[in-house]
């Protein structure tokens, strides 16, 4: 399965660099965190779901890197760059071994099924 991404041929050459550069720093920061940590949670303030994901990993004693970007009323434009990069529409974004596994509910399902333990054992 693949997700639909606008083909570069359908983006005018004059704006390609603008698209590539738009809030590239936040994407690079998340990429660096993923490269340096087995588990990464990307979240935002005032949202209870990133906290749920953190609590789930805390309960397991699993170390993770948390990156928080603003709240509902600020930094939403920067967070949009992450949504466009991943294709994931909500926060948190949970990465395990460099793989986006979804949000807090998805993480809980992985933990409950035993798949999370298998993933971190790799």
């Amino acid at each position: 399965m693949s997700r639909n991404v606008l083909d570069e041929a359908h983006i005018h050459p004059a704006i390609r660099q603008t698209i590539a550069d738009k809030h590239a720093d936040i994407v690079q920061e998340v990429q660096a965190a993923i490269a340096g940590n087995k588990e990464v949670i990307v979240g935002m303030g005032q949202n209870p779901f990133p906290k749920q994901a953190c609590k789930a990993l805390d309960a397991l004693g699993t170390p993770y890197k948390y990156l928080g970007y603003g709240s509902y009323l600020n930094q939403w434009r920067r967070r949009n760059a992450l949504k466009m990069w991943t294709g994931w529409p909500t926060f948190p974004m949970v990465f395990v071994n460099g793989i986006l596994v979804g949000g807090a509910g998805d993480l809980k399902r992985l933990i409950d099924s035993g798949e999370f333990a298998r993933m971190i054992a790799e």
Side-chain angles (χ1 to χ4, degrees):
M1 180 178 148
S2 64
R3 64 183 178 96
N4 292 330
V5 176
L6 185 61
D7 187 274
E8 193 167 327
H10 295 284
I11 299 172
H12 192 277
I15 67 165
R16 287 182 186 155
Q17 196 60 49
T18 301
I19 291 170
D21 292 343
K22 192 70 172 177
H23 300 298
D25 63 315
I26 193 171
V27 174
Q28 292 165 353
E29 184 174 4
V30 172
Q31 288 172 327
I34 292 167
N37 299 275
K38 288 187 74 149
E39 288 81 35
V40 175
I41 298 173
V42 180
M44 56 181 276
Q46 299 176 323
N47 183 334
F49 297 105
K51 291 179 181 103
Q52 289 175 11
C54 291
K55 285 181 183 180
L57 293 183
D58 288 340
L60 295 175
T62 302
Y64 59 91
K65 173 80 172 175
Y66 179 79
L67 299 170
Y69 296 106
S71 65
Y72 287 105
L73 300 177
N74 64 29
Q75 296 191 38
W76 61 270
R77 286 184 178 97
R78 293 186 72 221
R79 287 192 308 273
N80 275 345
L82 294 173
K83 292 178 179 185
M84 292 187 325
W85 171 61
T86 62
W88 188 251
T90 60
F91 290 93
M93 295 175 179
V94 180
F95 296 86
V96 178
N97 292 337
I99 298 171
L100 175 63
V101 298
D106 304 290
L107 175 62
K108 183 171 180 355
R109 282 188 288 281
L110 287 177
I111 292 169
D112 292 346
S113 72
E115 186 174 347
F116 178 78
R118 287 188 293 278
M119 289 180 76
I120 63 170
E122 295 175 355

